[in-house]
Amino acid sequence: MKSTRELFKGKEYLLDEPEVAKLLEYCEELQDEIVEFKFAKSNNKELTMLDMLKEVIKGCNAVEKEQMEHERFGYDAPDYHEVITGLKRYILNRCRDEKIYL
């Protein structure tokens, strides 16, 4: 992508025109907004991923606790197949909703 000043290469005298100066100033503002938007977008994805990972860790901790109770008190063992299926479903649905592509 060419910079706005490169567009006037060989015709620098046009840069002295007030309308061109305003246009260049406007383009620079838009470029700044694009950079800020890209940062905000990536930042939101990071927060989403962090939230998702926290939920996954919380689920894993619950399964570990259930396994310890099974070993200690003889309660029913966790259904690992169901846990893994649910975890996978959660991750894929959340990624789809947040437009995160793995």
Side-chain angles (χ1 to χ4, degrees), residues 15-32:
L15 294 172
D16 295 330
E17 295 294 324
E19 293 84 1
V20 173
K22 285 181 184 178
L23 179 61
L24 289 176
E25 184 179 321
Y26 179 66
C27 288
E28 288 173 7
E29 289 174 15
L30 288 177
Q31 287 173 341
D32 290 342

Side-chain angles (χ1 to χ4, degrees):
M1 180 177 177
K2 289 186 178 184
S3 74
T4 50
R5 302 228 181 261
E6 288 175 326
L7 295 173
F8 293 95
K9 191 173 183 178
K11 297 181 182 180
E12 287 80 9
Y13 64 91
L14 291 174
L15 294 172
D16 295 330
E17 295 294 324
E19 293 84 1
V20 173
K22 285 181 184 178
L23 179 61
L24 289 176
E25 184 179 321
Y26 179 66
C27 288
E28 288 173 7
E29 289 174 15
L30 288 177
Q31 287 173 341
D32 290 342
E33 286 180 25
I34 289 170
V35 169
E36 289 174 16
F37 175 74
K38 284 182 178 178
F39 176 76
K41 185 177 176 183
S42 68
N43 193 27
N44 287 339
K45 298 251 189 237
E46 290 173 12
L47 291 175
T48 300
M49 293 296 287
L50 182 61
D51 182 51
M52 189 170 26
L53 289 173
K54 285 179 182 179
E55 289 297 317
V56 168
I57 294 296
K58 190 177 2 175
C60 290
N61 289 340
V63 171
E64 286 177 339
K65 181 180 177 188
E66 194 175 337
Q67 177 64 35
M68 288 183 345
E69 289 174 350
H70 165 70
E71 292 169 2
R72 185 170 179 195
F73 302 112
Y75 294 156
D76 291 338
D79 183 354
Y80 293 107
H81 177 72
E82 183 63 31
V83 170
I84 291 169
T85 301
L87 178 61
K88 184 177 177 182
R89 185 180 323 114
Y90 167 75
I91 291 171
L92 293 175
N93 287 340
R94 185 80 189 266
C95 286
R96 184 191 67 233
D97 293 345
E98 301 292 339
K99 294 180 176 59
I100 297 171
Y101 305 102
L102 301 178

